[in-house]
Amino acid sequence: MTQQPWTGGRRVLLALGGLSLLGACAQPRPEPPELAPVTVRPSPSPSPTPPSPSPTRRPRPVQKEPRYVVPAATAGSGSRVVALTFDDGPHPAYTPQVLKLLRKHQVKATFFVIGQYAAAHPDLVRSIVADGHAVGTHTWSHADVSRLPAGRVRTEVGRAVDTVATTAGRAPEFFRAPYGSWSRTTFEVCAALGQTSIAWDVDPRDWENPGAAVIRSTILNQVGNRSIVLTHDGGGDRAQTVRALRSVLPVLLDTGYRFVGV
């Protein structure tokens, strides 16, 4: 599949909690290896109009660009914070290893799960929530939503949101587009479904399996105050990611960083 580039350019200046922040533009990444197929029920036919918001789907203003900085309200005055995020899970082999590592260092993270994998592994979703982590969605099937009409986007995002809400007991609030590829239609659908789109500014490209040392050095070289770090707990062999984080987390904690949600 040819990568659909994100052409948003430099991010606009955002005012969050009374603070103005200028972040680096998150670059879209090429398509990762094909996700392992999962037996799921057929997708419902897309409706011609947006669904009426339910009590768990509060509409939000339409975003112009994905958010790429940690909210000031979460950061706190004078603190050095970083948000660690995981895409493409949950995975039965690697998500438990990631959770164990986060538990060891008392670190909180945000997991952007693929709907069909959340449906196949509901216990892992509940484990993520039980450990105090946030759960966002990453579409139902890892589709490139920037190339889809509104009905298909509603199906991809809405079905994943419903699956997480049913499994975790509360509706997710955050969405990340596969490949970092958003569109105006995606923002409009996410607003109707009560979702905030989240990007990143630190990308070690761990999905390429460049080696644990490369993943580690890239994160440590790129991370800064209020960074959002992109890593993966699914979508392929994530052993290198786990090994890299075993050394990354202690270093960031020792240098004064505090881990927060997006």
Side-chain angles (χ1 to χ4, degrees):
M1 186 190 319
T2 302
Q3 171 62 34
Q4 177 72 25
W6 170 250
T7 58
R10 296 291 298 178
R11 301 302 189 211
V12 295
L13 194 65
L14 301 181
L16 297 173
L19 296 178
S20 294
L21 303 171
L22 184 62
C25 175
Q27 297 296 325
R29 53 192 169 91
E31 184 174 350
E34 191 72 21
L35 294 170
V38 175
T39 302
V40 296
R41 60 185 175 85
S43 299
S45 299
S47 55
T49 57
S52 299
S54 69
T56 58
R57 289 182 173 182
R58 298 181 180 179
R60 297 183 177 180
V62 176
Q63 288 178 265
K64 294 181 180 179
E65 293 182 339
R67 195 172 72 194
Y68 56 97
V69 290
V70 177
T74 306
S77 177
S79 61
R80 299 177 69 197
V81 296
V82 60
L84 180 62
T85 66
F86 294 90
D87 285 11
D88 292 358
H91 190 286
Y94 300 109
T95 302
Q97 294 180 47
V98 169
L99 290 175
K100 181 179 179 180
L101 182 61
L102 298 178
R103 200 177 303 124
K104 175 182 177 181
H105 294 284
Q106 299 182 352
V107 165
K108 301 305 178 187
T110 303
F111 291 77
F112 291 93
V113 301
I114 294 175
Q116 62 178 355
Y117 294 158
H121 306 290
D123 289 345
L124 290 178
V125 176
R126 286 189 281 268
S127 293
I128 292 170
V129 174
D131 278 3
H133 306 294
V135 180
T137 58
H138 199 45
T139 72
W140 174 256
S141 66
H142 206 270
D144 185 344
V145 288
S146 71
R147 301 183 179 186
L148 300 180
R152 288 282 308 281
V153 176
R154 282 193 292 272
T155 298
E156 282 286 338
V157 179
R159 192 175 177 190
V161 168
D162 288 343
T163 298
V164 171
T166 300
T167 304
R170 61 175 179 264
E173 299 180 4
F174 304 117
F175 169 78
R176 176 172 283 162
Y179 319 114
S181 193
W182 279 270
S183 66
R184 174 71 183 182
T185 297
T186 303
F187 289 132
E188 291 173 348
V189 170
C190 286
L193 297 178
Q195 303 298 293
T196 297
S197 292
I198 304 294
W200 62 86
D201 63 337
V202 177
D203 182 6
R205 300 175 70 89
D206 62 327
W207 53 272
E208 289 185 323
N209 284 324
V214 173
I215 296 170
R216 176 187 184 277
S217 63
T218 302
I219 294 175
L220 295 179
N221 288 335
Q222 293 183 5
V223 75
N225 190 27
R226 297 183 182 176
S227 282
I228 296 180
V229 181
L230 170 65
T231 58
H232 296 77
D233 64 324
D237 184 344
R238 298 294 165 241
Q240 292 182 7
T241 301
V242 175
R243 287 199 300 272
L245 290 176
R246 285 186 182 131
S247 59
V248 166
L249 298 184
V251 169
L252 292 179
L253 290 168
D254 288 346
T255 52
Y257 278 97
R258 181 167 58 89
F259 288 85
V260 297
V262 295

